Amino acid sequence: MSQINPGSSHLVLHIWPPHVSALSFDPLCTAALLYLQLSIPGRFTVAHCANPDASPSGQLPYLTHGLHSAATLPAIIKYVTHLGRARDVDAALGPLEKAQSAARIAHVQAEYGDLVAHMAYALHTNWWKTTRPALVSMLPVPQRYYVPHRMRESYRPRLEAVDLWGTPGEEVEEEEEKRSTFQREKKKRQETGPEKFKRTFARERVLERARVFLDMYTKLLGDHQFFYPHLAQPTTLDIVFAAHTHMLTSLPFADPLFTDLLNDSYPSLIAHADAVKSFAFPDPASHPPTIQSDLRLSIKSLFTVPAHPAPRRQPSSPETLAEERRYKLMRWGWIGLSALAVVAYIRWTGLTIQFVSEDDEEEEEEEEAATLEEIEEAVDEAAA
């Protein structure tokens, strides 16, 4: 397996900034941070980024390493595993365990990711009182006025496809937020019994879906610290799962739907997330250095800068130079022939127009003479 030399340039991990006690405002950004800390500790820098458009994929996280870049969490993990002296966190797993781990990671990113997105973007109360204010505080002007809405709308198709967008009886349109507190409370008191039952049933349906998922991984974890009991350290599956749990338990959601569920029924999963975090960051000094970027300078952020500069052209060999010279001569030859063809066409077209113009003048003179003759004949007849 070929390896990439990490000493050629510095690695920079671009992630959403932290919020309250969360390492990052996005679970995949948190997973990327934990993975790099366990794989290449002390050999990368964190850049807190609030502009997803700066990423090659349009989403955070992404990694830059000189002229190279890797977007999305799987691409970052794959790139880091090829770095020289990088520690493979899954090296102790057997072939079957690695295949099972890959399938479970995909399941966690899909199912747990949907639950976290439902909590942050679909629930009306959490969006207006937790998620949106947090994003606004991170984004510069004018991005803070349109990026949060764009991010929420990007989650809508995904959550609608799995029936996790909106809760009937509770999720309302944006205009509802403009009403006064008295009006909202009055409307809440005027709700009929069926409406309240429908809302309660919808929330219970979402909670039941979360219980099915969390029960599965609680059983897999058992009484152990990590998902693979024969290992004394977390694997990629532990990292990805713990990153989602960490976001649910670290952010102060106004509607703690899943947070209360974790605290009341799944303390072992919370302990698992804390163990992964403590293993990656045993003390404050172990945190990677952070690039201090001014997130409030907005004019520059309107013009997206590529994740890495254009590569310099390498010196060409004599054979390549001769081949390029031959193609250059052929290209200029075709340009010359095209120019001559255009000139010849214009000259031929101009002559044709000139001939047509002379014929038109002769016809006009003949028509004028005939008209004069008719006028003279009419005058003679009138005089007679």
Side-chain angles (χ1 to χ4, degrees):
M1 180 183 296
S2 60
Q3 291 185 339
I4 303 170
N5 181 15
S8 58
S9 55
H10 201 63
L11 286 98
V12 181
L13 178 64
H14 304 260
I15 61 175
W16 278 100
H19 186 69
V20 191
S21 60
L23 295 173
S24 176
F25 195 71
D26 179 80
L28 297 183
C29 290
T30 302
L33 175 61
L34 292 171
Y35 187 90
L36 264 66
Q37 180 64 20
L38 292 173
S39 181
I40 50 172
R43 294 159 57 189
F44 70 99
T45 302
V46 173
H48 292 148
C49 177
N51 183 17
D53 294 331
S55 170
S57 64
Q59 295 179 341
L60 299 174
Y62 72 99
L63 181 74
T64 55
H65 183 204
L67 301 178
H68 304 278
S69 65
T72 73
L73 179 62
I76 292 173
I77 292 175
K78 183 178 180 181
Y79 185 86
V80 171
T81 55
H82 288 79
L83 292 174
R85 305 190 312 277
R87 187 174 69 86
D88 185 2
V89 299
D90 295 332
L93 297 179
L96 180 59
E97 290 176 326
K98 288 184 177 180
Q100 292 175 342
S101 178
R104 286 167 177 161
I105 290 172
H107 180 241
V108 170
Q109 287 185 280
E111 189 70 21
Y112 213 178
D114 289 343
L115 294 174
V116 173
H118 173 81
M119 186 81 164
Y121 296 96
L123 290 181
H124 178 76
T125 304
N126 286 341
W127 167 250
W128 284 104
K129 295 185 178 181
T130 305
T131 308
R132 188 177 183 277
L135 292 174
V136 168
S137 67
M138 300 173 190
L139 291 164
V141 177
Q143 279 80 0
R144 64 175 56 177
Y145 298 115
Y146 64 88
V147 170
H149 176 73
R150 188 184 70 183
M151 291 180 59
R152 191 187 192 199
E153 288 301 312
S154 68
Y155 281 98
R156 181 193 288 266
R158 168 183 173 179
L159 296 178
E160 285 181 340
V162 293
D163 198 21
L164 283 176
W165 182 264
T167 304
E170 175 161 336
E171 303 307 322
V172 292
E173 298 296 331
E174 185 173 339
E175 288 76 10
E176 177 73 10
E177 186 66 17
K178 299 179 181 179
R179 297 186 179 185
S180 65
T181 305
F182 174 77
Q183 290 174 326
R184 290 196 296 269
E185 291 296 329
K186 182 179 178 181
K187 182 180 178 181
K188 196 172 182 179
R189 289 195 300 268
Q190 291 176 346
E191 283 183 343
T192 62
E195 290 176 347
K196 292 182 179 180
F197 176 78
K198 188 176 182 180
R199 185 181 69 248
T200 303
F201 176 78
R203 288 173 65 85
E204 184 59 33
R205 176 179 53 80
V206 174
L207 284 173
E208 183 60 29
R209 178 171 181 167
R211 290 190 189 97
V212 172
F213 171 80
L214 296 175
D215 285 343
M216 183 186 307
Y217 285 90
T218 300
K219 183 177 180 180
L220 179 64
L221 182 64
D223 297 330
H224 306 285
Q225 192 175 28
F226 303 116
F227 285 125
Y228 292 94
H230 63 281
L231 300 180
Q233 60 189 23
T235 61
T236 305
L237 174 60
D238 294 288
I239 293 171
V240 175
F241 192 94
H244 289 77
T245 307
H246 173 73
M247 181 172 177
L248 289 177
T249 56
S250 300
L251 295 180
F253 287 107
D255 182 1
L257 181 66
F258 296 145
T259 305
D260 289 346
L261 178 64
L262 285 168
N263 289 327
D264 296 340
S265 304
Y266 302 96
S268 61
L269 296 181
I270 297 178
H272 169 263
D274 294 338
V276 173
K277 180 184 175 183
S278 299
F279 196 93
F281 303 108
D283 55 75
S286 61
H287 284 261
T290 303
I291 297 177
Q292 298 295 334
S293 58
D294 191 354
L295 301 177
R296 300 192 179 276
L297 293 178
S298 59
I299 302 301
K300 290 183 179 180
S301 61
L302 291 176
F303 305 95
T304 303
V305 180
H308 55 80
R312 292 184 178 181
R313 186 176 180 180
Q314 298 296 329
S316 301
S317 61
E319 294 80 4
T320 305
L321 291 174
E323 188 72 12
E324 291 179 354
R325 189 179 300 111
R326 186 170 70 88
Y327 279 108
K328 186 180 295 184
L329 292 175
M330 293 176 61
R331 182 168 61 251
W332 282 110
W334 279 109
I335 293 174
L337 289 175
S338 301
L340 290 174
V342 170
V343 171
Y345 174 77
I346 293 175
R347 183 174 179 83
W348 180 81
T349 306
L351 291 174
T352 304
I353 294 173
Q354 183 178 0
F355 292 148
V356 173
S357 299
E358 290 178 356
D359 294 340
D360 291 342
E361 291 177 358
E362 292 177 359
E363 292 178 0
E364 290 177 0
E365 291 175 356
E366 292 176 357
E367 292 177 358
E368 290 177 357
T371 303
L372 289 174
E373 290 177 358
E374 293 176 359
I375 293 174
E376 290 176 354
E377 291 176 359
V379 171
D380 293 340
E381 291 176 358

